[in-house]
Each structure stands twice: as structure tokens, then as C-alpha cells.
Amino acid sequence: MAVIESYPAAYRNATDVVKDYFAAFAGGNIADAVALLDDNVIWHIDGDPGVSTTGLLRGPEQVRNWLARFPENFKPRMFSITDLIEHNDSVLAIGHFRHTVLSTGNTIASDMIIHFSVAQSKITRYQIFEDSALLKRAFDAGSDWQNQQIRINGTLYRYRDCGEGPTLLFAHGLLVDRDIFAAQVHVLSQTHRCIVLDMPGHGQSGYRPDGWMLDDINRDLALMIRELSLGKVTFVGQSQGGMVGIRLAAHAPECVSGMILIGTSARPEYPDRLAQWKLQRTTILNGSDDERELLFAEIQRRIIGESWLLRHPVEARRERAIMQGHDRTGLALALDAAIFTRGDIRPLLPLVSVPTLIICGEGDRATPPELSIEMAKAIPDATLMLLPETGHHPTIESAEAVTEAIASYLFKTAQQ
């Protein structure tokens, strides 16, 4: 009697075969995954030979070994397929992954496209397209992996990416750099993924030679959050960083789950300060090193609490060295964005729909407490914290109190 071979109904099209493969892969069911492979299956992964998963394989046994070794090399953090597109016997799987490389401890994230060929309900070919250059770097134990970079709309943003968990995105104020959050990141990266930016014209980041506005940074960061698949972030903004955060929360609410504003303002700069800022801009751009050092020391005395400066002379010198180290033109253009063209964003405050913690030093003369009180009244779900004996840099002047306040805020909002 003739035997007519038939296939289970679930295997009648190529997309169902691919779905079953992903289900087996996600569940670590190697036998189920291998059962879906053609006897002459080709497995194609381009990239540097130093990456353990790259190369060309043929046959189910070779693929079985590849699947078995995968958890020896990677700890999956996230694997998401957003689209499956079938045409004839091909299926394109479009998605994103985030894995930790076990040999180095580096965690890599990349978009991907996997091209499957399917015939008679069996996978005949697999080829993945991913960020192979970044993957190579993730396997390099000597790489300063946590320091990352991305060019957005022509501006090179450099940032530190450390920790695992819900994402916190940090943006600092004028004249400093990402190290102003060092105490907070040291603690919070134990439970959260911390992405800590150098803002344009500061630190290691680049800038647009023709200048920019805070609205430009807002749009850049919204694009970054979406395209790097960060999900909704909690935005932590100090001074000009907070001014960007308000814009982001109001204009791109799908990008933000919460916000922490530190020593910031929704108003334009006080008009009676603009003439002094113009003189300071000239010194920043054209002054000698000694003139700039005197200026930065004067700014420190004006915005930071006197008691902190007296207790921390080494840290104060280090902060002035950071100010001196910024690119002159970049810092002058950053001053334009943060001071001269920042605008009045008070109408945006009622549009901020996320829980917001507002922190301000009682001695802050750059953005006095009344500006934080004003924001707390206008943002629907806001909590205000005023810190005694603290000036414009609460993250270093009252580092422990700020860290504890942020941690408490994150715990509370996670329960909601």
C-alpha cells in the first residue's frame, strides 16, 4: 500500500515554520529546532572570526552544535521579533536583540534581519544581518565597552552605558560633563541601565558648527530612544538637561515613563544676566587659559555652595579642569542654546503627564528655588525636594541625598 506523506497543518506555510523555530530557540528546545531543519540546511553568520557565532555551517548536526554553544557565549537580555514578511519560500524576520557576551561581560544591542529559506516545511537556509562591527567590539575584552557613541542628525553624542534593568537617561547642565552624575550612576546602575550623555559641545561629544537649540537636542534624544529600542526611559536632567527633559516629556510622551529635574528652569534666562553672559562667552571663546580659569572659578563661587567648595578643593579644581577641557567653540555654542535661545517653556509644563521629581538646592543662585516651586505647581504629578546648604550642583554637593531621593522615586513609580 502506498504511503502518502503529509505535514501537520501548522507547517503549511513558511511563516509558521519560522514561528516554530523561534519558539524552540526561545525555549532552549534544541531538538525541536533541529527537527525543523532540512538535511542540507545552510547556516550563514557574517562577521569577525573572533566572534564565536560567526561562520558558515551545513547540515543539522553543525547547527545543533551551534545552538548548544549559544548559551555558553551569550546571556539573552531581550529578543524581539516585530515583523515576519513572507514572499514565495522566503521569510524575513525583523527584530532587535540585547545579549550579554559572557566572556567579556559586555552587553550588546542591535537591530537584526534574519532571512529564512523554507522548502517542504523545512528550513533550508538561515542568514542573519546584524551590527557585526559592534558585536566584534563586544567580544574584545580590552575595549572600553561602556563608552559608546552615536551620530544623530549630524551631532556625535558620546555616552556611558552601564547596568541592566529599566533605562535611566541622564543629561547634564552647562559647563560640566556626564561625570556630574557619577555618584548616582555608581549606585543606580546596580538595578537600572544608565545611559549618561555628554551633551553637545561638552566632554567627548561633538557639536554642529552652525549651532543648535535645545529643541534640536530634544528631537535628537527622542530619535535615539526610539531607534535604539530603549523603551520608555526615566529622564534625569540637570539644569540645561532638565530643560531638554521637559521638552521631551511634553512632545514625545511615548519615550518617557518618568522624569527627574535637578536645578533647572522652564523660564528664559533672567534679562539682567544676559550682558554678563555675553562677556563670559567672549572669554570662553577667546580668553587665555588664565583668563578662563579665573572665569570658571568665579562661576563656581557664584553657583556652588560655599561650604562645599571649602570642603572639597580637589573636586572643585577637577570640575574647573573639565570646564577648561571643553572645546572652546562648542562650549560657546552650547551657551547660546542654554542661555540666549532657550525660550520660555512654561506652557509645556501642564503637558508633562509622567510622575516628576523636582530637586533644587536652597542656595541655588543660577536657577533659584522659586523656579522649581513654579514647575512643581504646574506639572500635574510633581514632587518637590529642596536641599539645604546646596547650590546649583546637587548631584555632587548633596550626592547621597540626591541618590536616595532618586532611588526612592524609582521604587515608588515601579509600584504604580
Side-chain angles (χ1 to χ4, degrees):
M1 182 175 65
V3 176
I4 300 176
E5 187 175 13
S6 62
Y7 295 94
Y11 294 170
R12 286 179 180 167
N13 62 59
T15 299
D16 286 334
V17 176
V18 170
K19 286 180 178 178
D20 283 354
Y21 168 79
F22 281 130
F25 178 81
N29 300 319
I30 295 176
D32 289 350
V34 172
L36 297 168
L37 306 180
D38 182 79
D39 289 343
N40 291 303
V41 65
I42 300 293
W43 223 245
H44 183 151
I45 305 97
D46 290 315
D48 188 271
V51 177
S52 61
T53 49
T54 62
L56 303 176
L57 304 172
R58 183 163 189 163
E61 284 307 308
Q62 292 285 347
V63 177
R64 181 193 300 274
N65 293 335
W66 185 89
L67 291 169
R69 291 195 306 269
F70 192 89
E72 299 172 4
N73 295 292
F74 296 100
K75 179 178 180 179
R77 300 289 185 178
M78 186 267 282
F79 187 90
S80 173
I81 301 298
T82 56
D83 289 289
L84 291 172
I85 303 171
E86 182 176 348
H87 179 70
N88 295 332
D89 291 331
S90 288
V91 177
L92 295 180
I94 302 171
H96 186 87
F97 69 83
R98 181 171 168 82
H99 297 332
T100 297
V101 177
L102 296 178
S103 61
T104 63
N106 297 331
T107 299
I108 178 175
S110 174
D111 291 328
M112 64 181 175
I113 296 176
I114 307 175
H115 178 199
F116 292 88
S117 297
V118 180
Q120 294 184 323
S121 299
K122 296 286 186 177
I123 296 170
T124 61
R125 191 173 184 277
Y126 167 109
Q127 183 174 8
I128 186 169
F129 301 88
E130 58 196 347
D131 191 338
S132 57
L134 190 61
L135 195 58
K136 175 186 177 182
R137 187 179 167 213
F139 270 79
D140 180 1
S143 172
D144 189 6
W145 173 257
Q146 292 181 336
N147 288 330
Q148 299 283 347
Q149 60 185 354
I150 185 171
R151 192 178 302 279
I152 310 175
N153 293 323
T155 298
L156 180 65
Y157 287 83
R158 287 194 166 94
Y159 60 95
R160 186 165 180 81
D161 185 347
C162 56
E164 292 297 327
T167 301
L168 310 180
L169 181 59
F170 294 80
H172 63 76
L174 188 64
L175 300 176
V176 295
D177 69 2
R178 67 192 184 206
D179 282 351
I180 199 167
F181 297 113
Q184 290 72 48
V185 172
H186 177 71
V187 174
L188 298 173
S189 61
Q190 305 304 309
T191 54
H192 289 73
R193 182 183 181 187
C194 296
I195 296 177
V196 197
L197 300 165
D198 273 343
M199 296 286 271
H202 292 79
Q204 298 178 18
S205 285
Y207 59 90
R208 302 174 194 175
D210 57 348
W212 62 92
M213 299 181 69
L214 296 183
D215 286 328
D216 296 316
I217 302 178
N218 158 50
R219 286 188 285 268
D220 288 351
L221 298 187
L223 184 62
M224 177 183 181
I225 291 167
R226 295 187 188 107
E227 293 304 310
L228 295 189
S229 300
L230 299 182
K232 286 192 171 186
V233 306
T234 297
F235 192 93
V236 185
Q238 180 256 334
S239 195
Q240 71 158 342
M243 299 168 193
V244 172
I246 293 169
R247 289 166 163 83
L248 184 67
H251 293 310
E254 74 281 1
C255 293
V256 182
S257 61
M259 188 163 59
I260 298 162
L261 303 175
I262 303 172
T264 193
S265 169
R267 288 176 175 261
E269 179 58 288
Y270 293 109
D272 59 356
R273 295 180 179 181
L274 295 180
Q276 183 182 29
W277 273 117
K278 288 179 180 178
L279 293 173
Q280 292 174 157
R281 185 189 191 280
T282 298
T283 301
I284 286 171
L285 188 60
N286 300 315
S288 68
D289 287 346
D290 288 343
E291 289 170 334
R292 285 158 53 87
E293 172 65 21
L294 289 173
L295 171 62
F296 293 140
E298 177 191 340
I299 290 174
Q300 268 191 333
R301 289 191 296 271
R302 193 164 66 240
I303 67 174
I304 298 179
E306 182 180 0
S307 61
W308 185 89
L309 290 173
L310 290 173
R311 295 194 312 271
H312 301 90
V314 174
E315 291 86 345
R317 285 196 298 273
R318 180 178 179 277
E319 185 179 74
R320 292 197 301 275
I322 289 172
M323 295 177 183
Q324 283 274 22
H326 299 315
D327 180 275
R328 287 171 176 255
T329 301
L331 189 57
L333 292 172
L335 189 150
D336 293 342
I339 300 297
F340 295 110
T341 66
R342 77 184 191 211
D344 187 345
I345 56 172
R346 284 176 291 174
L348 298 182
L349 296 175
L351 304 180
V352 175
S353 60
V354 297
T356 301
L357 171 63
I358 301 173
I359 300 173
C360 186
E362 291 182 349
D364 188 344
R365 286 177 285 180
T367 53
E370 55 263 29
L371 299 179
S372 289
I373 294 170
E374 177 181 61
M375 292 187 296
K377 290 179 179 178
I379 294 174
D381 185 5
T383 302
L384 176 64
M385 179 180 187
L386 297 178
L387 296 171
E389 298 183 4
T390 302
H392 189 53
H393 290 169
T395 57
I396 58 173
E397 297 177 63
S398 299
E400 186 173 344
V402 171
T403 304
E404 289 178 356
I406 295 175
S408 176
Y409 163 89
L410 293 171
F411 178 79
K412 179 181 177 181
T413 54
Q415 308 307 308
Q416 295 177 351

